Amino acid sequence: MASDTPWLTAHEEHVWRAWLTLNARVNAALHRELQDDADLSMPDFEVLVHLTDDPDGRVRVTDLARLLLWERSRLSHHVTRMERRGLVERVECPEDARGAFVAVTPAGRSAIGHAAPGHVRAVRRLVFDGLTGEEVDGFGSTVDKLLARMTDTAGPAGASDAGTCA
Amino acid sequence: MASDTPWLTAHEEHVWRAWLTLNARVNAALHRELQDDADLSMPDFEVLVHLTDDPDGRVRVTDLARLLLWERSRLSHHVTRMERRGLVERVECPEDARGAFVAVTPAGRSAIGHAAPGHVRAVRRLVFDGLTGEEVDGFGSTVDKLLARMTDTAGPAGASDAGTCA
DNA sequence: AAAGATTGATATCTCAATCTTT
DNA sequence: AAAGATTGAGATATCAATCTTT
């Protein structure tokens, strides 16, 4: 390893490793939870969260990709698979024939409705229970600060902002 | 959604979403960094970190899987691919003919040596620069607390502890 | 039979084309 | 040509067998 690189301090190294490990464990636990409860993967769940957040239950492909921080091609493949399972469907966009919506189906709503309570319980149990209000606050503001600093530094493509179809 | 589930508070929900987003962005940035610098993926890098941490540069398959929080089968496939690229090699275990070591090759050491400085710089830039010492401390102890609480709750298989071959 | 590890089939992700509409 | 989206090929991940040694 090159000798002129400022290395992480022992404490930082520890924090960094702990962060990586914590993430892996949280993801694994939530994955199992969703799988057992509703036969959904985490990506499935994320997609459904954003679709059901919309009043009309449908979001333009590019917008959804931006919300998810995914590449459009990944989303397209994923939608194809979820469509095959009846969880979502593609809907043509009247105002722009190039575009398309992804829309939740009743089955999709049912699936996330079935999954959400257990998922929320798991997030609570894994992340928030046992932390003091002070800790949650400090944790949150630190995460926010980190996030704010990199908002325009990373992430695949900062696409347009067309909330509606046009 | 069922009505008797204690939902996340607005603040917790915010923290949780921020956490997910931050992770996605950090991972994406580090991925690009490693890819550009040394043609390594994050999983490649993680494997090499644990191998080069060992004095002999080799670790038993099951132990490595535990360190990585991976399933053995994933590791086996990954080792096959890394072996094909000359980064690691499989070594028979003399004391237990069932077992095997994964060992770094000189090319593997060279690759991680080439990747490490940029990677460390990126971690510093993304996560630690701009945080006060207090914030880093608070962040670290919170992450530690979370991690400690779930140590035996999650993760694929808490395997044996054979550090050496036997 | 249990432990250590690998294999094969399938699902998913990534990257570079491709296709259509603007 | 640029924007919106999809496709196909190759890489990686997951899950359930399988194989060998203890």
Side-chain angles (χ1 to χ4, degrees):
Chain A
M1 327 220 179
S3 53
D4 61 348
T5 297
W7 204 256
L8 298 179
T9 68
H11 182 227
E12 286 170 345
E13 164 102 31
H14 175 81
V15 171
W16 175 236
R17 284 259 137 231
W19 161 278
L20 290 177
T21 304
L22 181 57
N23 256 300
R25 288 196 186 279
V26 168
N27 288 338
L30 293 181
H31 170 78
R32 267 177 308 203
E33 166 73 36
L34 284 175
Q35 203 65 49
D36 294 351
D37 268 27
D39 199 41
L40 292 176
S41 68
M42 298 255 287
D44 294 337
F45 187 80
E46 290 293 306
V47 167
L48 293 175
V49 163
H50 289 294
L51 292 181
T52 52
D53 267 356
D54 182 273
D56 299 322
R58 58 193 181 59
V59 180
R60 286 288 299 268
V61 170
T62 295
D63 294 330
L64 185 52
R66 185 167 35 74
L67 288 170
L68 290 162
L69 255 30
W70 289 6
E71 296 196 2
R72 277 196 304 278
S73 92
R74 172 180 176 187
L75 179 56
S76 187
H77 283 302
H78 204 91
V79 165
T80 298
R81 280 174 248 129
M82 290 182 76
E83 200 169 21
R84 202 179 296 140
R85 294 196 283 152
L87 299 169
V88 303
E89 60 186 357
R90 285 179 222 260
V91 177
E92 286 183 10
C93 182
E95 283 98 346
D96 185 339
R98 294 172 303 181
F101 286 101
V102 183
V104 228
T105 62
R109 288 195 190 273
S110 161
I112 193 176
H114 204 261
H119 184 71
V120 170
R121 256 197 306 280
V123 172
R124 269 214 150 293
R125 176 169 44 78
L126 292 169
V127 182
F128 293 109
D129 283 357
L131 292 187
T132 67
E134 227 173 87
E135 281 167 333
V136 174
D137 282 350
F139 188 53
S141 64
T142 302
V143 169
D144 265 346
K145 189 167 177 178
L146 292 171
L147 195 50
R149 192 149 44 74
M150 67 185 321
T151 288
D152 35 27
T153 302
S160 74
D161 221 309
T164 64
C165 179
Chain B
M1 328 220 176
S3 52
D4 61 347
T5 298
W7 204 256
L8 298 179
T9 68
H11 182 227
E12 285 171 346
E13 164 103 30
H14 175 80
V15 171
W16 175 236
R17 284 259 137 229
W19 160 278
L20 290 177
T21 304
L22 181 58
N23 255 301
R25 288 194 187 282
V26 168
N27 287 339
L30 293 180
H31 170 76
R32 269 177 306 201
E33 164 73 37
L34 284 176
Q35 203 63 50
D36 294 351
D37 268 28
D39 199 43
L40 291 176
S41 69
M42 299 255 287
D44 294 336
F45 186 80
E46 288 295 305
V47 167
L48 292 176
V49 163
H50 289 294
L51 292 181
T52 51
D53 267 357
D54 183 272
D56 299 321
R58 57 191 182 59
V59 179
R60 286 290 298 268
V61 170
T62 295
D63 294 330
L64 185 53
R66 185 168 35 73
L67 289 170
L68 290 163
L69 256 30
W70 289 6
E71 295 196 4
R72 277 197 304 277
S73 94
R74 173 181 176 186
L75 179 56
S76 187
H77 283 302
H78 203 89
V79 164
T80 299
R81 280 175 250 130
M82 291 182 77
E83 200 170 22
R84 203 178 296 141
R85 294 196 284 151
L87 298 170
V88 303
E89 61 186 357
R90 285 177 221 260
V91 177
E92 286 183 9
C93 182
E95 283 98 345
D96 185 341
R98 294 173 303 180
F101 286 101
V102 183
V104 229
T105 62
R109 288 193 191 276
S110 161
I112 193 175
H114 204 262
H119 184 72
V120 170
R121 256 196 306 279
V123 171
R124 269 213 149 294
R125 176 169 45 77
L126 293 168
V127 181
F128 293 110
D129 283 357
L131 293 186
T132 67
E134 226 173 85
E135 281 168 333
V136 174
D137 283 349
F139 187 54
S141 65
T142 302
V143 169
D144 265 346
K145 189 167 175 179
L146 292 171
L147 194 52
R149 191 149 46 73
M150 67 187 319
T151 289
D152 35 27
T153 302
S160 76
D161 221 310
T164 64
C165 179

